[in-house]
Amino acid sequence: MAEVVAGPEYDRDKEVKAFDESKRGVKGLVDAGVTMIPRFFVEPPEVVDGGRSSSDGEAAGACLDIPIIDLEGAGGGGHRREEVARMIGWACETWGFFQVVNHGIEQKVLDGMIEGGRRFHELPGEKDETLLEGCQGEGEVQQQF
């Protein structure tokens, strides 16, 4: 594992802000020829796994089980819907993301979404920047809906 040294001159917030403002994402880093993961992406193991270690010496967080939310039966309302809503809230607060199963979305639709995302991220920088011009912040995005 590579060691990340953050000296007193390192300003993580400044690096994250510059990265966010570039609106280029990880693809922009690759396009720029970055060969090492930027420091602000790397968390020390004690932060990731809370300082715990497994018996074989690997970090306890090395094999994570992300929350899986099963939507089956949640469309009818009632107790099951409330249970799913609580599980989603817990997953968002605890993990920040989750996987959804039994959502009823056809595989061809899911495949099309992935393909669309792939095509977007393969666009030249100036092309995808023009598509992002209308999305300057979450406040503006929320107002569009």
Side-chain angles (χ1 to χ4, degrees):
M1 169 188 269
E3 183 176 336
V4 177
V5 179
E9 69 281 347
Y10 176 63
D11 186 347
R12 182 181 188 282
D13 291 338
K14 184 177 178 182
E15 275 194 26
V16 170
K17 184 176 183 202
F19 177 77
D20 287 344
E21 288 176 351
S22 77
K23 302 223 183 313
R24 300 290 302 135
V26 173
K27 181 181 184 300
L29 295 174
V30 173
D31 291 347
V34 172
T35 59
M36 294 183 65
I37 297 172
R39 290 183 285 187
F40 65 89
F41 280 118
V42 181
E43 294 285 357
E46 60 272 9
V47 171
V48 174
D49 65 17
R52 300 165 302 196
S53 293
S54 64
S55 58
D56 63 6
E58 288 187 35
C63 181
L64 301 174
D65 293 321
I66 67 166
I68 297 174
I69 310 294
D70 186 348
L71 296 183
E72 187 162 347
H79 175 69
R80 177 70 181 136
R81 184 181 183 103
E82 291 173 12
E83 177 185 24
V84 167
R86 278 193 301 276
M87 291 185 330
I88 291 172
W90 173 85
C92 289
E93 291 173 4
T94 307
W95 286 78
F97 58 92
F98 52 90
Q99 179 181 357
V100 178
V101 296
N102 294 320
H103 43 66
I105 300 173
E106 294 180 27
Q107 188 62 46
K108 68 180 182 180
V109 174
L110 298 173
D111 292 343
M113 290 171 48
I114 291 171
E115 176 63 19
R118 185 193 59 75
R119 286 195 326 260
F120 172 78
H121 288 290
E122 289 178 351
L123 290 171
E126 62 278 356
K127 189 85 164 167
D128 65 7
E129 286 174 8
T130 60
L131 295 172
L132 291 173
E133 285 177 359
C135 301
Q136 296 299 319
E138 81 179 62
E140 290 185 29
V141 172
Q142 288 176 351
Q143 291 173 5
Q144 294 175 8
F145 292 100

